[in-house]
Amino acid sequence: MVNRGATGNATSTRFRLPAREADGDWLDAQLLVDGTPPPLRTSVTVVKPRTILTRNTSPDVPFMQSINAYGGCEHGCIYCFARPTHAYHDLSPGLDFESRLFAKPDAAELLRVELAKPGYRVAPIALGTNTDPYQPIEAEWRITRAILEVLAETNHPVAITTKSDRVVHDIDILGPMAAKGLATVCVSVTSLDAKVARTVEPRAPTPERRLAAVAKLADAGIPTYVSIAPVIPAITDHEIEHLVERAARAGARHAFFIPVRLPHEVAPLFRAWLTEHYPDRAGKVMSIIQSLRGGRDNDPDFFTRMKGQGPWADLLRVRFHRACRLHGLNRDRLRLDTSQFRLPSGPQGELF
């Protein structure tokens, strides 16, 4: 499938997801002149949740609450651990996840209400924990920006994770927040190889654009991380030192990495992707992943799921930490200030 991550629309049996069937649209059967299928269209469905904050109790995740403004992600990263969430909608974690998206346009007003509730406990809100808050549809929907406006108004701390340089469009909000100790941004850069990036993250901005965004964020005084996540053995692991070097040169202060994770339906999607794009090393890649994951495609256990285990995991950690020391990253610890919070103003905030 051109410009998409998944090679198909694999179905799920966990929630009795029905097999994908043609919907009668004339595009189902149409072929272009050269015999290739037409481009897959992206649709967006509005959802109306009653609340917007998601609380986290996982002991190995460094945030207590998060907001996901969108469901699904058009970036199409084949390894995305959020893909299985589409099965809850009776949609495929494959191409549906990349093309049948959900948006929550009321997110900012719902947040305003939640922040005004009696007894609300201030803790940094994470954006981008499930799907990217700056995926392409943010240009039109601007839900992430509306959320940031509420957080800026209330002096509420926020931590953003994204693969998109679109985040620089909100520097006018994030810069003043960072000056108060209220904002950090993590930009994910998986590979510097343009060909690898096009196959593994087909609709995400190029690595160079993301590193340019790191530089702009750093120049604006916004504490910036670079996430080398995931590291894919035998495909991107050889780039760790170079990625750390480029992150430091761009102005990042911190970096971290996570070995590739393949939960639930992600594993068969990833295997199919390997067969399509890297048939010469598919077996080797999966063998190393299983050595990192206790002999399985995926390790769901707390703590080890983020780090991996065994000799390969140890080697990746040694290489990463040595590169960070060499280039001056991770010398301090960033902490967001929770003491400046003030109740939101306006009709919604005055309900409580």
Side-chain angles (χ1 to χ4, degrees), residues 133-163:
Y134 287 102
Q135 60 179 291
I137 60 173
E138 167 65 11
E140 175 185 352
W141 291 81
R142 295 168 66 88
I143 301 172
T144 297
R145 183 174 178 87
I147 291 169
L148 291 178
E149 288 171 344
V150 174
L151 296 176
E153 173 195 326
T154 57
N155 283 337
H156 196 294
V158 63
I160 296 172
T161 300
T162 183
K163 287 186 182 297

Side-chain angles (χ1 to χ4, degrees), residues 211-224:
L211 287 167
V214 171
K216 290 179 181 178
L217 292 164
D219 287 345
I222 301 166
T224 308

Side-chain angles (χ1 to χ4, degrees), residues 164-184:
S164 178
D165 60 338
R166 195 176 302 279
V167 64
V168 302
H169 296 304
D170 289 340
I171 283 180
D172 60 317
I173 299 175
L174 293 169
M177 290 185 72
K180 299 177 181 180
L182 298 173
T184 63

Side-chain angles (χ1 to χ4, degrees), residues 17 61 70 102 105 116 133 142 150 183 207 210 224-225 232 236 249 256-257 280 314 327:
L17 180 68
V61 174
Y70 302 105
F102 297 91
R142 295 168 66 88
V150 174
R210 285 180 248 173
T224 308
Y225 294 75
I232 305 176
T236 67
R249 282 168 47 192
F256 64 90
F257 82 98
D280 60 320
D314 293 340
H327 296 289

Side-chain angles (χ1 to χ4, degrees), residues 62 76 107 132 243:
D132 203 306
L243 283 163

